[in-house]
């Protein structure tokens, strides 16, 4: 009877885990293991692009890819993990509760925007965290054209000045003008707790963010926070009021709640502590990857971020190493010392940085060209060709 590796999740971490495990078995001419991916859809949802328009197009099918390499796919949503029985309970496409057993489990269920306890957020705010929410926002923006002209109609408030908030806000002027007309008197406002514009991104990059914001007309309310959201806008902590028909929430991310069902240590964001092989510490048969893994990416104290840059490499390593454990060969320790960012700044361009201190290397159109290459080519799945796909899953391939 074949051994069974079960991968929960088909995002960057999960997809590359399945391909990488299959690759190592292929290299060793070992066909005694079945690799299965359990996920709600056989598609890679390109989450880094959800701040863009046309969110419904930002999912790449991967069913043919899995077929080409011999990975089995189960369409369903994981609900429970029984570590003792080595079984995962899931709801299938018809809504029926099913179960699937495993010999080795790789958790790759990603992260979600953390629930906010700020009054009114769940009822009145939008977000771009998942594809359904991004589509909901887009439909709402399009509906603004049917509303009478008003300052609130033309105003968008973005709560949070981190990566997602900045990319969402700087893209918004072009999105609004495409809907409301080039002459529309629009206003986009970022509310952020930082001391200055782009403070969370570092001193050097903040200058580019400030320049882009000024050119695009994106305003910042720094040293501020949202106290409440309602149907007509936001109230800030200092009592100020901003009338806006559109409020977008971008603050706080947490790992999938499935991590809580595995007896192991977790960090403040819910990520499972893993060793250098991405095996969950204290669990012999469970690995974690992508946004659910708290993994050291170098030996000087830096840990993987919740980004596709890290999830791709984490996935390739997790798949390789779970297969290596079964084969009894040496694993490949996860290491990703190079860290880069490429921040989209709307019509102004983009800014590309290298290093954990984010040293600027490219700005404006040069940065935008690179960002476009990343967003439309580099992060997409490989073609449904067995040899090419498995070659692309080599954990030693640098992601950045």
């Amino acid at each position: 009877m074949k051994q069974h590796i079960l991968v929960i999740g088909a995002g960057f971490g999960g997809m590359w885990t399945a391909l990488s495990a299959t690759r190592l078995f292929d290299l060793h001419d070992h066909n005694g293991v079945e690799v299965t991916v359990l996920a709600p859809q056989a598609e890679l949802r390109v989450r880094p692009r959800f701040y863009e328009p046309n969110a419904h197009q930002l999912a790449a099918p991967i069913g043919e890819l899995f077929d080409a390499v011999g990975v089995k796919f189960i369409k369903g949503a994981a609900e429970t993990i029984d570590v003792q029985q080595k079984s995962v309970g899931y709801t299938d496409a018809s809504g029926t509760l099913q179960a699937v057993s495993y010999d080795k489990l790789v958790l790759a269920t990603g992260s979600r925007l953390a629930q906010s306890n700020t009054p009114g957020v769940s009822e009145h705010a939008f977000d771009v965290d998942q594809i359904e929410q991004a589509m909901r926002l887009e439909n709402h923006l399009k509906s603004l054209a049917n509303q009478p002209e008003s300052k609130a109609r033309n105003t968008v408030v973005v709560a949070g000045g981190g990566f997602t908030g900045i990319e969402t806000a700087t893209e918004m002027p072009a999105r609004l003008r495409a809907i409301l007309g080039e002459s529309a008197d629009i206003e986009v406002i970022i509310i952020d707790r930082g001391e200055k514009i782009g403070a969370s991104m570092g001193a050097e990059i903040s200058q580019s963010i400030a320049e882009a914001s000024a050119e695009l007309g994106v305003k910042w309310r720094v040293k501020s926070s949202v106290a409440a959201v309602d149907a007509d806008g936001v109230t800030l902590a200092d009592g100020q009021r901003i009338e806006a028909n559109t409020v977008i929430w971008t603050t706080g991310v947490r790992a999938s709640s499935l991590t809580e069902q595995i007896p192991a240590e977790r960090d403040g964001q819910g990520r499972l502590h893993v060793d250098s092989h991405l095996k969950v510490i204290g669990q012999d048969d469970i690995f974690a990857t992508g946004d659910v893994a708290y993994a050291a990416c170098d030996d000087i104290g830096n840990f993987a971020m919740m980004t596709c840059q890290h999830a791709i490499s984490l996935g390739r390593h997790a798949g390789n190493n779970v297969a290596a454990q079964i084969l009894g060969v040496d694993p490949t320790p996860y290491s990703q010392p190079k860290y880069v960012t490429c921040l989209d700044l709307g019509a102004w361009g983009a800014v590309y940085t290298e290093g954990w201190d984010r040293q600027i290397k490219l700005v404006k159109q040069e940065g935008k060209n690179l960002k476009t290459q990343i967003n439309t080519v580099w992060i997409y799945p490989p073609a449904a060709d067995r040899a090419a796909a498995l070659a692309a899953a080599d954990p030693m391939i640098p992601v950045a």
Side-chain angles (χ1 to χ4, degrees):
M1 184 175 178
K2 286 187 174 185
Q3 293 191 71
H4 187 210
I5 296 173
L6 177 63
V7 182
I8 310 180
F12 295 102
M15 181 193 75
W16 285 110
T17 291
L19 295 178
S20 187
T22 303
R23 168 189 173 274
L24 197 63
F25 291 130
D26 192 65
L27 288 175
H28 287 266
D29 196 24
H30 185 92
N31 59 7
V33 179
E34 183 174 77
V35 179
T36 301
V37 172
L38 167 65
Q41 302 90 15
E43 62 185 22
L44 176 71
R45 296 185 161 193
V46 192
R47 191 181 184 191
R49 298 185 61 186
F50 288 171
Y51 65 93
E52 299 178 23
N54 301 313
H56 63 285
Q57 299 177 0
L58 301 179
I62 53 177
E64 289 186 6
L65 171 63
F66 286 161
D67 289 343
V69 300
V71 169
K72 182 181 176 182
F73 179 78
I74 298 176
K75 182 180 176 66
E79 306 286 351
T80 59
I81 300 173
D82 188 329
V83 174
Q84 297 299 320
Q85 297 298 317
K86 289 190 170 183
S87 176
V88 172
Y90 68 95
T91 303
D92 69 14
S94 66
T96 304
L97 190 62
Q98 306 277 6
V100 57
S101 61
Y102 64 83
D103 294 289
K104 305 292 181 183
L105 178 69
V106 184
L107 191 64
T109 44
S111 61
R112 283 188 175 268
L113 189 68
Q115 285 191 333
S116 172
N117 57 10
T118 301
V121 170
S122 60
E123 297 90 350
H124 303 292
F126 296 86
D127 66 70
V128 293
D129 185 55
Q130 304 296 320
I131 200 167
E132 291 83 3
Q133 281 70 43
M135 291 168 64
R136 174 174 169 260
L137 171 62
E138 179 151 4
N139 290 334
H140 164 76
L141 293 175
K142 289 177 178 177
S143 75
L144 295 176
N146 300 321
Q147 297 181 17
E149 169 79 26
S150 70
K151 186 172 181 60
R153 185 199 72 164
N154 294 354
T155 299
V156 173
V157 171
V158 177
F163 211 99
T164 301
I166 292 169
E167 291 196 321
T168 301
T170 53
E171 185 74 15
M172 196 55 61
R175 294 182 69 176
L176 287 174
R177 290 197 174 96
I179 295 165
L180 301 177
E182 288 296 324
S183 61
D185 184 19
I186 65 170
E187 189 167 37
V188 178
I189 305 167
I190 297 175
I191 310 298
D192 189 53
R193 297 176 185 271
E195 292 290 317
K196 64 175 186 176
I197 291 173
S200 67
M201 301 296 292
E204 188 174 359
I205 194 173
S206 69
Q207 297 177 27
S208 294
I209 296 168
E211 180 183 329
S213 297
E215 184 174 304
L216 297 169
V218 174
K219 299 177 181 178
W220 285 70
R221 296 281 187 94
V222 296
K223 295 184 282 188
S224 298
S225 61
V226 175
V229 182
D230 56 56
D232 301 313
V234 300
T235 302
L236 303 185
D238 63 3
Q240 292 187 63
R241 176 79 186 162
I242 302 175
E243 299 295 326
N245 288 358
T246 309
V247 178
I248 306 172
W249 203 262
T250 69
T251 63
V253 178
R254 282 196 62 81
S256 160
S257 60
L258 282 175
T259 61
E260 298 167 13
Q261 299 189 32
I262 297 175
E265 186 178 358
R266 294 177 293 279
D267 78 337
Q269 291 178 295
R271 298 181 295 176
L272 292 159
H273 285 236
V274 295
D275 64 17
S276 63
H277 304 148
L278 304 185
K279 186 171 70 69
V280 175
I281 295 173
Q283 295 292 336
D284 289 337
D285 299 315
I286 302 177
F287 291 69
T289 193
D291 288 1
V292 298
Y294 182 63
C297 52
D298 56 33
D299 57 6
I300 59 174
N302 293 309
F303 285 78
M305 306 277 281
M306 289 180 168
T307 65
C308 70
Q309 172 186 175
H310 287 116
I312 291 169
S313 184
L314 285 164
R316 289 171 177 162
H317 281 82
N320 181 87
N321 293 341
V322 69
Q325 188 184 63
I326 290 175
L327 291 166
V329 302
D330 290 339
T332 301
Y334 169 67
S335 177
Q336 197 172 0
K338 186 175 182 181
Y339 174 63
V340 304
T341 60
C342 197
L343 180 69
D344 199 346
L345 294 170
W348 181 88
V351 56
Y352 168 74
T353 71
E354 294 182 353
W356 290 93
D357 55 352
R358 292 186 171 137
Q359 299 176 22
I360 293 178
K361 301 298 180 181
L362 299 172
V363 296
K364 294 194 171 181
Q365 191 57 49
E366 284 187 315
K368 192 75 162 187
N369 292 342
L370 178 59
K371 183 69 170 181
T372 300
Q373 183 79 0
I374 293 169
N375 272 8
T376 60
V377 179
W378 293 359
I379 62 177
Y380 273 71
D385 174 87
R386 180 180 175 83
L390 295 186
D394 186 342
M396 299 311 293
I397 296 173
V399 174

